[in-house]
Amino acid sequence: MSPNTLAISEIFHSIQGEGSFAGWPCTFIRLAGCGHGCAGCDTSYAEDKGFELEIEEIIQRALTFQASFIEITGGEPLRQPPVYPLMTQLCDLNQKVLLETGGFISVEKVDKRVHKIIDIKPPSSGVAQHNNPDNIRLALEAELPQRHNFEFKIVIAGKEDYDWATSLLLEHRLADSFTVMMGVAFEKLDPAKLAEWILHDHLRVRLQLQLHKYLWDPSRRGV
Ligand code: SF4
């Protein structure tokens, strides 16, 4: 594959379902491939090899949707090196670029203008040992205004995950400085239960529901 080519799973226009931009119309560029094998992954189809596109063509297709935001997601988008110039070129075109990453690869090389949504995988994912500690360090060391371009997301499947996540947040005082979104693993935990825990502990996080799963069939692709 050429250095300007990426393996793409899908490019589509939808409502942002998660994170602090939830509810906004957004264009999604889903890159193919991940390899982390998280339990409960809801985009395992992104493991398929996808189709190849040059950066220029990806940008043209994404811009046709004329959305206010463009999210680069996966799979694991940071596995493909050409994703870095893709993000930079989109920023140079004055696009507001969001990156959603599984949190296993350092975001150090990501253009500082990109808003980074970094997963922190809890024990139920089976891969918590692969969370890259570099990402929390980079966020804590970032200066304003780049500091605002870090956001964390934790998907909770039960009380063990919740207690683990709470300890991590307190240890790094992450929620004091950054938006931390806490959601439930779909159909594994009642969101009302997570809401109760958050309120009981006065945890400074934002409860997120995956909007797209309420708007459309949860198994539908391209939403
Ligand atoms: S990092 Fe994301 S895409 Fe990859 S296996 Fe985990 S949940 Fe699925």
Side-chain angles (χ1 to χ4, degrees):
M1 205 153 59
S2 97
N4 289 323
T5 303
L6 285 141
I8 300 292
S9 172
E10 54 186 354
I11 300 175
F12 60 97
H13 186 220
S14 188
I15 297 292
Q16 175 62 263
E18 305 183 35
S20 58
F21 293 86
W24 285 104
C26 181
T27 296
F28 293 82
I29 302 172
R30 187 183 306 286
L31 270 59
C34 178
H36 291 301
C38 308
C41 172
D42 59 1
T43 49
S44 51
Y45 61 86
E47 284 292 9
D48 298 344
K49 73 180 172 68
F51 54 96
E52 294 181 10
L53 276 186
E54 297 258 333
I55 289 176
E56 197 178 322
E57 174 69 17
I58 296 168
I59 291 174
Q60 275 178 15
R61 288 197 194 187
L63 293 182
T64 57
F65 295 114
Q66 300 178 28
S68 304
F69 304 96
I70 298 179
E71 176 167 304
I72 314 286
T73 185
E76 172 47 66
L78 297 183
R79 266 176 39 138
Q80 300 189 54
V83 75
Y84 297 100
L86 169 64
M87 290 188 280
T88 293
Q89 288 180 39
L90 285 167
C91 290
D92 289 346
L93 291 166
N94 293 321
Q95 300 299 305
K96 178 68 184 170
V97 181
L98 318 177
L99 166 73
E100 170 133 17
T101 171
F104 306 112
I105 297 174
S106 170
V107 297
E108 188 157 26
K109 289 193 294 173
V110 175
D111 192 301
K112 295 197 169 18
R113 296 169 288 181
V114 172
H115 184 90
K116 296 165 280 294
I117 303 159
I118 302 169
D119 283 7
I120 299 176
K121 302 293 187 189
S124 70
S125 68
V127 290
Q129 69 278 18
H130 298 308
N131 285 315
N132 191 325
D134 216 26
N135 287 330
I136 290 179
R137 179 186 64 76
L138 288 165
L140 292 170
E141 289 176 2
E143 299 195 348
L144 291 171
Q146 281 83 14
R147 204 175 170 86
H148 293 313
N149 282 340
F150 283 86
E151 167 177 338
F152 293 91
K153 184 184 94 179
I154 313 176
V155 177
I156 304 291
K159 191 67 164 62
E160 186 195 352
D161 281 354
Y162 175 80
D163 290 339
W164 179 91
T166 303
S167 301
L168 184 96
L169 294 179
L170 292 176
E171 179 189 344
H172 298 285
R173 299 177 63 96
L174 263 195
D176 292 348
S177 306
F178 302 97
T179 298
V180 177
M181 308 297 302
M182 203 176 259
V184 294
F186 195 67
E187 293 181 331
K188 291 257 176 61
L189 176 65
D190 181 356
K193 179 54 76 180
L194 178 58
E196 275 174 31
W197 295 338
I198 291 170
L199 290 171
H200 178 270
D201 293 341
H202 301 280
L203 208 55
R204 196 182 172 284
V205 298
R206 285 175 60 181
L207 175 66
Q208 79 165 18
L209 301 175
Q210 292 178 295
L211 278 185
H212 50 293
K213 292 194 174 165
Y214 292 87
L215 289 169
W216 296 292
D217 177 346
S219 62
R220 195 172 118 179
R221 287 181 56 161
V223 295

